[in-house]
Amino acid sequence: MNPVKILFTGVNGTGKTTTIAKVGAFLKKQGFSVVIGAGDTYRAGAMEQINVHAERIGIRIIQHQQGADPSAVLFDAVKYAVSHKIDVVLADTAGRFHTKANLMNQLGKIRRVMNPDLIVYVDEAVAGNDAIVRAAEFDKTVGADAVILTKADMDSRGGAAISIAHTIGKPLMFLGTGQAYDDIIPFSPSAMVEELLGDG
């Protein structure tokens, strides 16, 4: 049985690593076994951050030393999942700006090596138009199958959610609604419409 491989992309500081932990906790609750590949090997503190999360939610993490080739780390994470019959691989990557060609190319290499089943683009609901431009750029360069928006609790009108989904034509998978591991909800169009139209 092959694991489902999910690759997470996005820009710096949007809560991608925390989102991966939340998705891991959510899947575990549904009875799936999960391993995290620590593909953010560059940012100081990134590995510590993902380690703390993984420990708290009780998920195994595969990592190399800082500065290692992220493709190699994620290759090993998939190999580990296959040999241990793990259901899902959640692959973290370094946050990168859509304007940096070399980083976007590296993401292309990661994609070729890992061959993910799903590429999830993570951004902030509060980023507005910026998020829309970035999502389109990431989709063009690396591809995106679905979107997760963090800080949705701060975007009372849900405008970014609808704009991003509309612009890149990809489904919204989850909304992050706070800091705790449980603060993630599967996106529901009807709930969003209800909230947008409100009672008034």
Side-chain angles (χ1 to χ4, degrees), residues 66-102:
Q66 198 172 340
D69 177 0
S71 303
V73 179
L74 300 179
F75 179 82
D76 284 353
V78 172
K79 214 164 68 177
Y80 177 88
V82 170
S83 64
H84 292 78
K85 296 190 170 34
I86 287 174
D87 299 319
V88 186
V89 177
L90 301 178
D92 193 10
T93 58
R96 59 201 73 220
F97 287 100
H98 58 289
T99 48
K100 297 269 194 294
N102 58 335

PDB file of all heavy atoms in Angstrom, residues 66-102:
ATOM      1  N   GLN A  66      20.422  20.631   9.329  1.00  0.00           N
ATOM      2  CA  GLN A  66      20.074  21.923   8.728  1.00  0.00           C
ATOM      3  C   GLN A  66      20.896  22.150   7.461  1.00  0.00           C
ATOM      4  O   GLN A  66      22.074  21.822   7.402  1.00  0.00           O
ATOM      5  CB  GLN A  66      20.317  23.062   9.718  1.00  0.00           C
ATOM      6  CG  GLN A  66      19.570  24.315   9.297  1.00  0.00           C
ATOM      7  CD  GLN A  66      19.623  25.400  10.357  1.00  0.00           C
ATOM      8  OE1 GLN A  66      19.877  25.131  11.508  1.00  0.00           O
ATOM      9  NE2 GLN A  66      19.390  26.631   9.958  1.00  0.00           N
ATOM     10  N   GLY A  67      20.243  22.688   6.437  1.00  0.00           N
ATOM     11  CA  GLY A  67      20.934  22.975   5.181  1.00  0.00           C
ATOM     12  C   GLY A  67      20.942  21.805   4.210  1.00  0.00           C
ATOM     13  O   GLY A  67      21.453  21.916   3.094  1.00  0.00           O
ATOM     14  N   ALA A  68      20.372  20.670   4.628  1.00  0.00           N
ATOM     15  CA  ALA A  68      20.331  19.490   3.751  1.00  0.00           C
ATOM     16  C   ALA A  68      19.407  19.735   2.561  1.00  0.00           C
ATOM     17  O   ALA A  68      18.584  20.649   2.578  1.00  0.00           O
ATOM     18  CB  ALA A  68      19.845  18.273   4.547  1.00  0.00           C
ATOM     19  N   ASP A  69      19.545  18.899   1.546  1.00  0.00           N
ATOM     20  CA  ASP A  69      18.688  19.002   0.362  1.00  0.00           C
ATOM     21  C   ASP A  69      17.275  18.566   0.748  1.00  0.00           C
ATOM     22  O   ASP A  69      17.068  17.416   1.134  1.00  0.00           O
ATOM     23  CB  ASP A  69      19.251  18.097  -0.737  1.00  0.00           C
ATOM     24  CG  ASP A  69      18.385  18.092  -1.992  1.00  0.00           C
ATOM     25  OD1 ASP A  69      17.344  18.787  -2.017  1.00  0.00           O
ATOM     26  OD2 ASP A  69      18.754  17.393  -2.955  1.00  0.00           O
ATOM     27  N   PRO A  70      16.299  19.472   0.652  1.00  0.00           N
ATOM     28  CA  PRO A  70      14.935  19.111   1.062  1.00  0.00           C
ATOM     29  C   PRO A  70      14.364  17.932   0.269  1.00  0.00           C
ATOM     30  O   PRO A  70      13.603  17.134   0.807  1.00  0.00           O
ATOM     31  CB  PRO A  70      14.122  20.382   0.822  1.00  0.00           C
ATOM     32  CG  PRO A  70      14.997  21.346   0.119  1.00  0.00           C
ATOM     33  CD  PRO A  70      16.408  20.884   0.231  1.00  0.00           C
ATOM     34  N   SER A  71      14.760  17.803  -0.985  1.00  0.00           N
ATOM     35  CA  SER A  71      14.263  16.676  -1.800  1.00  0.00           C
ATOM     36  C   SER A  71      14.675  15.346  -1.189  1.00  0.00           C
ATOM     37  O   SER A  71      13.899  14.390  -1.164  1.00  0.00           O
ATOM     38  CB  SER A  71      14.822  16.749  -3.229  1.00  0.00           C
ATOM     39  OG  SER A  71      14.496  17.970  -3.822  1.00  0.00           O
ATOM     40  N   ALA A  72      15.904  15.297  -0.681  1.00  0.00           N
ATOM     41  CA  ALA A  72      16.420  14.056  -0.070  1.00  0.00           C
ATOM     42  C   ALA A  72      15.650  13.725   1.204  1.00  0.00           C
ATOM     43  O   ALA A  72      15.329  12.557   1.462  1.00  0.00           O
ATOM     44  CB  ALA A  72      17.911  14.210   0.222  1.00  0.00           C
ATOM     45  N   VAL A  73      15.343  14.758   1.988  1.00  0.00           N
ATOM     46  CA  VAL A  73      14.592  14.550   3.236  1.00  0.00           C
ATOM     47  C   VAL A  73      13.213  13.962   2.913  1.00  0.00           C
ATOM     48  O   VAL A  73      12.776  12.981   3.525  1.00  0.00           O
ATOM     49  CB  VAL A  73      14.402  15.886   4.003  1.00  0.00           C
ATOM     50  CG1 VAL A  73      13.609  15.649   5.289  1.00  0.00           C
ATOM     51  CG2 VAL A  73      15.739  16.523   4.320  1.00  0.00           C
ATOM     52  N   LEU A  74      12.543  14.553   1.938  1.00  0.00           N
ATOM     53  CA  LEU A  74      11.178  14.123   1.621  1.00  0.00           C
ATOM     54  C   LEU A  74      11.172  12.759   0.941  1.00  0.00           C
ATOM     55  O   LEU A  74      10.258  11.962   1.141  1.00  0.00           O
ATOM     56  CB  LEU A  74      10.470  15.195   0.785  1.00  0.00           C
ATOM     57  CG  LEU A  74      10.381  16.557   1.507  1.00  0.00           C
ATOM     58  CD1 LEU A  74       9.711  17.593   0.646  1.00  0.00           C
ATOM     59  CD2 LEU A  74       9.659  16.424   2.857  1.00  0.00           C
ATOM     60  N   PHE A  75      12.224  12.460   0.188  1.00  0.00           N
ATOM     61  CA  PHE A  75      12.391  11.120  -0.398  1.00  0.00           C
ATOM     62  C   PHE A  75      12.465  10.082   0.723  1.00  0.00           C
ATOM     63  O   PHE A  75      11.803   9.047   0.686  1.00  0.00           O
ATOM     64  CB  PHE A  75      13.662  11.085  -1.262  1.00  0.00           C
ATOM     65  CG  PHE A  75      13.923   9.744  -1.894  1.00  0.00           C
ATOM     66  CD1 PHE A  75      13.270   9.371  -3.065  1.00  0.00           C
ATOM     67  CD2 PHE A  75      14.818   8.852  -1.310  1.00  0.00           C
ATOM     68  CE1 PHE A  75      13.502   8.129  -3.645  1.00  0.00           C
ATOM     69  CE2 PHE A  75      15.051   7.600  -1.880  1.00  0.00           C
ATOM     70  CZ  PHE A  75      14.392   7.241  -3.054  1.00  0.00           C
ATOM     71  N   ASP A  76      13.258  10.409   1.756  1.00  0.00           N
ATOM     72  CA  ASP A  76      13.396   9.503   2.904  1.00  0.00           C
ATOM     73  C   ASP A  76      12.093   9.362   3.685  1.00  0.00           C
ATOM     74  O   ASP A  76      11.782   8.287   4.202  1.00  0.00           O
ATOM     75  CB  ASP A  76      14.506   9.992   3.847  1.00  0.00           C
ATOM     76  CG  ASP A  76      15.898   9.687   3.296  1.00  0.00           C
ATOM     77  OD1 ASP A  76      15.982   8.986   2.258  1.00  0.00           O
ATOM     78  OD2 ASP A  76      16.892  10.148   3.887  1.00  0.00           O
ATOM     79  N   ALA A  77      11.346  10.446   3.786  1.00  0.00           N
ATOM     80  CA  ALA A  77      10.067  10.398   4.506  1.00  0.00           C
ATOM     81  C   ALA A  77       9.102   9.448   3.798  1.00  0.00           C
ATOM     82  O   ALA A  77       8.406   8.649   4.439  1.00  0.00           O
ATOM     83  CB  ALA A  77       9.463  11.798   4.603  1.00  0.00           C
ATOM     84  N   VAL A  78       9.084   9.515   2.472  1.00  0.00           N
ATOM     85  CA  VAL A  78       8.207   8.622   1.695  1.00  0.00           C
ATOM     86  C   VAL A  78       8.673   7.172   1.855  1.00  0.00           C
ATOM     87  O   VAL A  78       7.864   6.265   2.054  1.00  0.00           O
ATOM     88  CB  VAL A  78       8.193   9.033   0.194  1.00  0.00           C
ATOM     89  CG1 VAL A  78       7.455   7.996  -0.645  1.00  0.00           C
ATOM     90  CG2 VAL A  78       7.532  10.403   0.040  1.00  0.00           C
ATOM     91  N   LYS A  79      10.000   6.973   1.799  1.00  0.00           N
ATOM     92  CA  LYS A  79      10.568   5.626   1.948  1.00  0.00           C
ATOM     93  C   LYS A  79      10.187   5.039   3.314  1.00  0.00           C
ATOM     94  O   LYS A  79       9.791   3.876   3.431  1.00  0.00           O
ATOM     95  CB  LYS A  79      12.097   5.706   1.821  1.00  0.00           C
ATOM     96  CG  LYS A  79      12.711   4.494   1.154  1.00  0.00           C
ATOM     97  CD  LYS A  79      14.140   4.745   0.698  1.00  0.00           C
ATOM     98  CE  LYS A  79      15.068   4.908   1.890  1.00  0.00           C
ATOM     99  NZ  LYS A  79      16.479   5.093   1.496  1.00  0.00           N
ATOM    100  N   TYR A  80      10.288   5.870   4.346  1.00  0.00           N
ATOM    101  CA  TYR A  80       9.935   5.457   5.706  1.00  0.00           C
ATOM    102  C   TYR A  80       8.455   5.057   5.755  1.00  0.00           C
ATOM    103  O   TYR A  80       8.089   4.025   6.317  1.00  0.00           O
ATOM    104  CB  TYR A  80      10.214   6.591   6.697  1.00  0.00           C
ATOM    105  CG  TYR A  80       9.802   6.265   8.115  1.00  0.00           C
ATOM    106  CD1 TYR A  80      10.686   5.628   8.981  1.00  0.00           C
ATOM    107  CD2 TYR A  80       8.527   6.573   8.584  1.00  0.00           C
ATOM    108  CE1 TYR A  80      10.305   5.295  10.276  1.00  0.00           C
ATOM    109  CE2 TYR A  80       8.133   6.256   9.876  1.00  0.00           C
ATOM    110  CZ  TYR A  80       9.034   5.618  10.723  1.00  0.00           C
ATOM    111  OH  TYR A  80       8.644   5.286  12.002  1.00  0.00           O
ATOM    112  N   ALA A  81       7.606   5.887   5.156  1.00  0.00           N
ATOM    113  CA  ALA A  81       6.166   5.620   5.172  1.00  0.00           C
ATOM    114  C   ALA A  81       5.834   4.315   4.464  1.00  0.00           C
ATOM    115  O   ALA A  81       5.014   3.526   4.935  1.00  0.00           O
ATOM    116  CB  ALA A  81       5.415   6.778   4.514  1.00  0.00           C
ATOM    117  N   VAL A  82       6.498   4.056   3.353  1.00  0.00           N
ATOM    118  CA  VAL A  82       6.258   2.820   2.595  1.00  0.00           C
ATOM    119  C   VAL A  82       6.661   1.614   3.441  1.00  0.00           C
ATOM    120  O   VAL A  82       5.897   0.654   3.601  1.00  0.00           O
ATOM    121  CB  VAL A  82       7.028   2.829   1.246  1.00  0.00           C
ATOM    122  CG1 VAL A  82       6.981   1.465   0.583  1.00  0.00           C
ATOM    123  CG2 VAL A  82       6.438   3.884   0.311  1.00  0.00           C
ATOM    124  N   SER A  83       7.862   1.671   4.025  1.00  0.00           N
ATOM    125  CA  SER A  83       8.349   0.498   4.769  1.00  0.00           C
ATOM    126  C   SER A  83       7.606   0.285   6.084  1.00  0.00           C
ATOM    127  O   SER A  83       7.562  -0.824   6.600  1.00  0.00           O
ATOM    128  CB  SER A  83       9.858   0.585   5.007  1.00  0.00           C
ATOM    129  OG  SER A  83      10.153   1.688   5.822  1.00  0.00           O
ATOM    130  N   HIS A  84       7.000   1.339   6.638  1.00  0.00           N
ATOM    131  CA  HIS A  84       6.253   1.193   7.897  1.00  0.00           C
ATOM    132  C   HIS A  84       4.735   1.205   7.683  1.00  0.00           C
ATOM    133  O   HIS A  84       3.980   1.315   8.639  1.00  0.00           O
ATOM    134  CB  HIS A  84       6.656   2.295   8.883  1.00  0.00           C
ATOM    135  CG  HIS A  84       8.059   2.153   9.380  1.00  0.00           C
ATOM    136  ND1 HIS A  84       9.157   2.514   8.623  1.00  0.00           N
ATOM    137  CD2 HIS A  84       8.547   1.663  10.543  1.00  0.00           C
ATOM    138  CE1 HIS A  84      10.258   2.263   9.308  1.00  0.00           C
ATOM    139  NE2 HIS A  84       9.924   1.746  10.471  1.00  0.00           N
ATOM    140  N   LYS A  85       4.340   1.125   6.414  1.00  0.00           N
ATOM    141  CA  LYS A  85       2.903   1.082   6.060  1.00  0.00           C
ATOM    142  C   LYS A  85       2.114   2.243   6.675  1.00  0.00           C
ATOM    143  O   LYS A  85       1.048   2.063   7.263  1.00  0.00           O
ATOM    144  CB  LYS A  85       2.289  -0.261   6.465  1.00  0.00           C
ATOM    145  CG  LYS A  85       2.912  -1.426   5.705  1.00  0.00           C
ATOM    146  CD  LYS A  85       2.163  -2.703   5.906  1.00  0.00           C
ATOM    147  CE  LYS A  85       2.588  -3.825   4.994  1.00  0.00           C
ATOM    148  NZ  LYS A  85       4.016  -3.884   4.633  1.00  0.00           N
ATOM    149  N   ILE A  86       2.664   3.436   6.525  1.00  0.00           N
ATOM    150  CA  ILE A  86       2.014   4.633   7.059  1.00  0.00           C
ATOM    151  C   ILE A  86       1.088   5.212   5.991  1.00  0.00           C
ATOM    152  O   ILE A  86       1.420   5.215   4.812  1.00  0.00           O
ATOM    153  CB  ILE A  86       3.073   5.638   7.557  1.00  0.00           C
ATOM    154  CG1 ILE A  86       3.648   5.071   8.862  1.00  0.00           C
ATOM    155  CG2 ILE A  86       2.493   7.024   7.768  1.00  0.00           C
ATOM    156  CD1 ILE A  86       4.784   5.797   9.445  1.00  0.00           C
ATOM    157  N   ASP A  87      -0.083   5.685   6.423  1.00  0.00           N
ATOM    158  CA  ASP A  87      -1.116   6.128   5.469  1.00  0.00           C
ATOM    159  C   ASP A  87      -0.778   7.422   4.740  1.00  0.00           C
ATOM    160  O   ASP A  87      -1.026   7.559   3.552  1.00  0.00           O
ATOM    161  CB  ASP A  87      -2.455   6.343   6.210  1.00  0.00           C
ATOM    162  CG  ASP A  87      -2.956   5.064   6.865  1.00  0.00           C
ATOM    163  OD1 ASP A  87      -2.850   4.001   6.226  1.00  0.00           O
ATOM    164  OD2 ASP A  87      -3.438   5.126   8.021  1.00  0.00           O
ATOM    165  N   VAL A  88      -0.244   8.410   5.487  1.00  0.00           N
ATOM    166  CA  VAL A  88      -0.088   9.748   4.903  1.00  0.00           C
ATOM    167  C   VAL A  88       1.282  10.342   5.222  1.00  0.00           C
ATOM    168  O   VAL A  88       1.744  10.280   6.363  1.00  0.00           O
ATOM    169  CB  VAL A  88      -1.181  10.715   5.441  1.00  0.00           C
ATOM    170  CG1 VAL A  88      -1.121  12.063   4.726  1.00  0.00           C
ATOM    171  CG2 VAL A  88      -2.578  10.121   5.304  1.00  0.00           C
ATOM    172  N   VAL A  89       1.906  10.950   4.197  1.00  0.00           N
ATOM    173  CA  VAL A  89       3.136  11.723   4.389  1.00  0.00           C
ATOM    174  C   VAL A  89       2.772  13.193   4.227  1.00  0.00           C
ATOM    175  O   VAL A  89       2.214  13.597   3.201  1.00  0.00           O
ATOM    176  CB  VAL A  89       4.216  11.364   3.331  1.00  0.00           C
ATOM    177  CG1 VAL A  89       5.463  12.240   3.521  1.00  0.00           C
ATOM    178  CG2 VAL A  89       4.572   9.896   3.391  1.00  0.00           C
ATOM    179  N   LEU A  90       3.071  13.992   5.253  1.00  0.00           N
ATOM    180  CA  LEU A  90       2.864  15.442   5.176  1.00  0.00           C
ATOM    181  C   LEU A  90       4.246  16.076   5.011  1.00  0.00           C
ATOM    182  O   LEU A  90       5.102  15.935   5.878  1.00  0.00           O
ATOM    183  CB  LEU A  90       2.193  15.962   6.456  1.00  0.00           C
ATOM    184  CG  LEU A  90       0.822  15.350   6.801  1.00  0.00           C
ATOM    185  CD1 LEU A  90       0.306  15.932   8.118  1.00  0.00           C
ATOM    186  CD2 LEU A  90      -0.188  15.582   5.682  1.00  0.00           C
ATOM    187  N   ALA A  91       4.459  16.734   3.887  1.00  0.00           N
ATOM    188  CA  ALA A  91       5.786  17.267   3.578  1.00  0.00           C
ATOM    189  C   ALA A  91       5.834  18.780   3.744  1.00  0.00           C
ATOM    190  O   ALA A  91       5.134  19.512   3.046  1.00  0.00           O
ATOM    191  CB  ALA A  91       6.172  16.889   2.158  1.00  0.00           C
ATOM    192  N   ASP A  92       6.670  19.225   4.695  1.00  0.00           N
ATOM    193  CA  ASP A  92       6.870  20.659   4.888  1.00  0.00           C
ATOM    194  C   ASP A  92       7.926  21.132   3.896  1.00  0.00           C
ATOM    195  O   ASP A  92       8.812  20.369   3.509  1.00  0.00           O
ATOM    196  CB  ASP A  92       7.348  20.911   6.328  1.00  0.00           C
ATOM    197  CG  ASP A  92       7.271  22.385   6.722  1.00  0.00           C
ATOM    198  OD1 ASP A  92       6.675  23.165   5.963  1.00  0.00           O
ATOM    199  OD2 ASP A  92       7.787  22.728   7.802  1.00  0.00           O
ATOM    200  N   THR A  93       7.829  22.385   3.469  1.00  0.00           N
ATOM    201  CA  THR A  93       8.869  22.978   2.623  1.00  0.00           C
ATOM    202  C   THR A  93       9.164  24.370   3.152  1.00  0.00           C
ATOM    203  O   THR A  93       8.352  24.941   3.877  1.00  0.00           O
ATOM    204  CB  THR A  93       8.420  23.109   1.142  1.00  0.00           C
ATOM    205  OG1 THR A  93       7.238  23.908   1.083  1.00  0.00           O
ATOM    206  CG2 THR A  93       8.162  21.756   0.516  1.00  0.00           C
ATOM    207  N   ALA A  94      10.305  24.904   2.782  1.00  0.00           N
ATOM    208  CA  ALA A  94      10.653  26.255   3.214  1.00  0.00           C
ATOM    209  C   ALA A  94       9.654  27.232   2.616  1.00  0.00           C
ATOM    210  O   ALA A  94       9.300  27.119   1.450  1.00  0.00           O
ATOM    211  CB  ALA A  94      12.062  26.590   2.743  1.00  0.00           C
ATOM    212  N   GLY A  95       9.225  28.173   3.436  1.00  0.00           N
ATOM    213  CA  GLY A  95       8.376  29.237   2.909  1.00  0.00           C
ATOM    214  C   GLY A  95       9.178  30.010   1.889  1.00  0.00           C
ATOM    215  O   GLY A  95      10.371  30.231   2.067  1.00  0.00           O
ATOM    216  N   ARG A  96       8.552  30.366   0.800  1.00  0.00           N
ATOM    217  CA  ARG A  96       9.306  31.079  -0.236  1.00  0.00           C
ATOM    218  C   ARG A  96       8.415  32.102  -0.905  1.00  0.00           C
ATOM    219  O   ARG A  96       7.208  31.946  -0.947  1.00  0.00           O
ATOM    220  CB  ARG A  96       9.869  30.096  -1.261  1.00  0.00           C
ATOM    221  CG  ARG A  96       8.810  29.274  -1.957  1.00  0.00           C
ATOM    222  CD  ARG A  96       9.423  28.018  -2.534  1.00  0.00           C
ATOM    223  NE  ARG A  96       9.744  27.085  -1.475  1.00  0.00           N
ATOM    224  CZ  ARG A  96      10.849  26.347  -1.456  1.00  0.00           C
ATOM    225  NH1 ARG A  96      11.724  26.435  -2.403  1.00  0.00           N
ATOM    226  NH2 ARG A  96      11.069  25.507  -0.475  1.00  0.00           N
ATOM    227  N   PHE A  97       9.046  33.139  -1.422  1.00  0.00           N
ATOM    228  CA  PHE A  97       8.269  34.156  -2.117  1.00  0.00           C
ATOM    229  C   PHE A  97       8.177  33.809  -3.590  1.00  0.00           C
ATOM    230  O   PHE A  97       9.130  33.332  -4.194  1.00  0.00           O
ATOM    231  CB  PHE A  97       8.872  35.545  -1.892  1.00  0.00           C
ATOM    232  CG  PHE A  97       8.623  36.037  -0.503  1.00  0.00           C
ATOM    233  CD1 PHE A  97       9.615  35.961   0.461  1.00  0.00           C
ATOM    234  CD2 PHE A  97       7.376  36.505  -0.128  1.00  0.00           C
ATOM    235  CE1 PHE A  97       9.370  36.376   1.764  1.00  0.00           C
ATOM    236  CE2 PHE A  97       7.123  36.923   1.179  1.00  0.00           C
ATOM    237  CZ  PHE A  97       8.118  36.857   2.115  1.00  0.00           C
ATOM    238  N   HIS A  98       7.023  34.043  -4.147  1.00  0.00           N
ATOM    239  CA  HIS A  98       6.767  33.681  -5.544  1.00  0.00           C
ATOM    240  C   HIS A  98       7.670  34.438  -6.510  1.00  0.00           C
ATOM    241  O   HIS A  98       7.791  34.073  -7.664  1.00  0.00           O
ATOM    242  CB  HIS A  98       5.292  33.945  -5.884  1.00  0.00           C
ATOM    243  CG  HIS A  98       4.879  35.359  -5.676  1.00  0.00           C
ATOM    244  ND1 HIS A  98       4.753  35.899  -4.421  1.00  0.00           N
ATOM    245  CD2 HIS A  98       4.606  36.358  -6.546  1.00  0.00           C
ATOM    246  CE1 HIS A  98       4.390  37.165  -4.526  1.00  0.00           C
ATOM    247  NE2 HIS A  98       4.301  37.467  -5.807  1.00  0.00           N
ATOM    248  N   THR A  99       8.346  35.490  -6.003  1.00  0.00           N
ATOM    249  CA  THR A  99       9.201  36.301  -6.874  1.00  0.00           C
ATOM    250  C   THR A  99      10.629  35.759  -6.963  1.00  0.00           C
ATOM    251  O   THR A  99      11.424  36.228  -7.755  1.00  0.00           O
ATOM    252  CB  THR A  99       9.263  37.740  -6.337  1.00  0.00           C
ATOM    253  OG1 THR A  99       9.545  37.669  -4.932  1.00  0.00           O
ATOM    254  CG2 THR A  99       7.935  38.451  -6.529  1.00  0.00           C
ATOM    255  N   LYS A 100      10.967  34.775  -6.120  1.00  0.00           N
ATOM    256  CA  LYS A 100      12.327  34.225  -6.103  1.00  0.00           C
ATOM    257  C   LYS A 100      12.399  32.980  -6.986  1.00  0.00           C
ATOM    258  O   LYS A 100      12.023  31.891  -6.565  1.00  0.00           O
ATOM    259  CB  LYS A 100      12.732  33.875  -4.666  1.00  0.00           C
ATOM    260  CG  LYS A 100      12.795  35.073  -3.729  1.00  0.00           C
ATOM    261  CD  LYS A 100      14.196  35.664  -3.737  1.00  0.00           C
ATOM    262  CE  LYS A 100      14.426  36.629  -2.607  1.00  0.00           C
ATOM    263  NZ  LYS A 100      13.656  37.838  -2.639  1.00  0.00           N
ATOM    264  N   ALA A 101      12.930  33.163  -8.194  1.00  0.00           N
ATOM    265  CA  ALA A 101      12.925  32.078  -9.187  1.00  0.00           C
ATOM    266  C   ALA A 101      13.676  30.833  -8.717  1.00  0.00           C
ATOM    267  O   ALA A 101      13.212  29.713  -8.896  1.00  0.00           O
ATOM    268  CB  ALA A 101      13.512  32.578 -10.498  1.00  0.00           C
ATOM    269  N   ASN A 102      14.855  31.026  -8.064  1.00  0.00           N
ATOM    270  CA  ASN A 102      15.641  29.852  -7.667  1.00  0.00           C
ATOM    271  C   ASN A 102      14.906  28.996  -6.632  1.00  0.00           C
ATOM    272  O   ASN A 102      14.950  27.761  -6.686  1.00  0.00           O
ATOM    273  CB  ASN A 102      17.030  30.259  -7.160  1.00  0.00           C
ATOM    274  CG  ASN A 102      16.966  31.217  -5.976  1.00  0.00           C
ATOM    275  OD1 ASN A 102      15.980  31.932  -5.805  1.00  0.00           O
ATOM    276  ND2 ASN A 102      17.994  31.225  -5.165  1.00  0.00           N
TER     277      ASN A 102
END
